[in-house]
Amino acid sequence: MFDELEKINERPEPFQFYTASDLWTDEHTSKHMLSFHLNPAIDVSSRKVEFINRSVEWILSEFNIGSETYLADFGCGPGLYASRLAKRDASVTGIDFSKRSIEYAKEIAAREQLNISYVNQNYLDFDTEERFDLVLMIMCDFCALSPTQRKKILDLFHKILKPSGSVLLDVYSLAAFEQREETATYEVNQLNSFWSPHKYYGFLNTFKYNQEKVVLDKYTIIESERTRYVYNWLQYFTPEELEPELVNAGFAIKEIYSDVAGTPYDRQSREFAVIANRV
């Protein structure tokens, strides 16, 4: 028992483990994630519908989206952005890890006759001969990737964008990092049975890495037949720390905002959004 408790409370190295599939492809948890996506009143998997609508209108204006626009949405989920942008004549490709979300998105696109191609794949492995005017990676997906993964995805963006193409992504800020605290909690059927339909004991250890500006939410889920560990990493940035990663991948920052709805940049905002042009 002592050794098991030691393992539960063990602090790994930053981004030592990658368990995204446990969250997005598991039959039980993916069902919950989709329900979070589709709940217009909460900011969990997706932002509230009012923000999404405002964000889409800003994107349409900022990037002059129209019938000649080819757009890739990385981490598209059930198509909340993709479907809205396709309704305004953009040709959209959506890529997402979750089969359940992609199946839902495909049903909506078919019913509404939208020009969207959905790909059920880990976007780190995505490749295509198509070239895009705009790449989206929003809801701070970029922050969940390790430095190596971030380099890989930025190199991919550079490859699939047209020479004049742009990336729009958002990240968590240092102001948000300062608000995070290390915690250790325990609960039966933690998060209202989110992790399993069967009884389990859930442990959450939140570790904060001050030098790297990284936070880990480490979940240990103990069921009668198995024990699982899920590692949710988040990298926090300042614009000055994000810019070199973009520059090294062949991008130049055009503008910085507080969010993907074009709110003027405030250093105290919990997030910030960047438009980066391919160079």
Side-chain angles (χ1 to χ4, degrees):
M1 176 64 73
F2 182 84
D3 290 340
E4 292 174 358
L5 290 172
E6 284 284 283
K7 190 170 183 180
I8 288 170
N9 290 282
E10 186 176 41
R11 177 192 295 262
E13 293 298 313
F15 296 103
Q16 182 177 353
F17 303 103
Y18 183 65
T19 59
S21 62
D22 287 22
L23 185 62
W24 296 106
T25 64
D26 177 84
E27 180 69 19
H28 180 76
T29 57
S30 66
K31 180 180 179 181
H32 282 279
M33 294 301 288
L34 179 59
S35 70
F36 293 154
H37 271 301
L38 301 178
N39 187 331
I42 61 174
D43 287 313
V44 179
S45 297
S46 301
R47 294 187 175 91
K48 295 179 182 178
V49 67
E50 180 277 330
F51 179 88
I52 294 174
N53 290 334
R54 184 160 52 89
S55 176
V56 167
E57 290 301 318
W58 176 76
I59 291 170
L60 288 165
S61 174
E62 179 69 25
F63 297 98
N64 194 27
I65 304 294
S67 60
E68 301 299 317
T69 304
Y70 288 82
L71 186 153
D73 184 1
F74 280 69
C76 64
L80 301 180
Y81 274 81
S83 60
R84 286 167 168 81
L85 292 164
K87 287 177 183 178
R88 304 294 280 271
D89 297 328
S91 298
V92 182
T93 297
I95 310 101
D96 200 275
F97 217 168
S98 171
K99 181 180 179 181
R100 189 184 296 272
S101 289
I102 287 293
E103 288 177 347
Y104 177 91
K106 285 181 175 179
E107 290 176 5
I108 298 298
R111 184 167 68 239
E112 300 185 2
Q113 298 183 323
L114 301 175
N115 185 16
I116 308 175
S117 173
Y118 283 114
V119 181
N120 179 207
Q121 187 179 26
N122 184 340
Y123 50 50
L124 291 168
D125 300 322
F126 178 72
D127 198 7
T128 180
E129 296 299 317
E130 192 168 2
R131 296 297 175 257
F132 300 94
D133 301 287
L134 176 64
V135 166
L136 301 179
M137 177 176 267
I138 53 182
M139 200 62 188
C140 297
D141 262 30
F142 192 72
C143 296
L145 303 177
S146 71
T148 300
Q149 290 170 328
R150 296 198 301 269
K151 183 181 186 308
K152 181 176 182 179
I153 203 73
L154 289 176
D155 288 343
L156 173 61
F157 292 169
H158 194 273
K159 175 184 176 182
I160 67 175
L161 279 170
K162 296 176 182 179
S164 59
S166 301
V167 172
L168 173 64
L169 59 84
D170 56 359
V171 295
Y172 291 112
S173 71
L174 201 57
F177 178 78
E178 298 300 337
Q179 295 175 19
R180 296 298 306 268
E181 295 182 356
E182 292 201 341
T183 61
T185 60
Y186 151 79
E187 186 180 359
V188 178
N189 293 340
Q190 186 183 57
L191 300 177
N192 297 316
S193 298
F194 174 82
W195 294 110
S196 175
H198 310 294
K199 182 178 180 179
Y200 63 90
Y201 296 89
F203 296 80
L204 168 60
N205 292 81
T206 298
F207 298 109
K208 192 171 179 180
Y209 302 78
N210 288 301
Q211 182 175 349
E212 295 86 357
K213 302 299 184 290
V214 169
V215 171
L216 167 64
D217 289 322
K218 175 185 174 183
Y219 293 92
T220 305
I221 303 99
I222 302 176
E223 301 176 76
S224 61
E225 301 297 327
R226 62 173 178 168
T227 296
R228 291 180 287 155
Y229 298 91
V230 178
Y231 299 84
N232 287 344
W233 301 96
L234 286 177
Q235 177 78 61
Y236 294 75
F237 292 92
T238 64
E240 295 79 10
E241 291 165 336
L242 178 59
E243 185 172 23
E245 295 194 20
L246 292 164
V247 170
N248 289 338
F251 291 94
I253 292 180
K254 176 189 175 185
E255 194 62 72
I256 300 174
Y257 299 93
S258 280
D259 56 35
V260 290
T263 302
Y265 176 60
D266 180 351
R267 206 167 186 88
Q268 296 306 309
S269 174
R270 289 181 50 83
E271 306 167 7
F272 64 93
V274 171
I275 298 175
N277 293 339
R278 187 183 189 275
V279 294

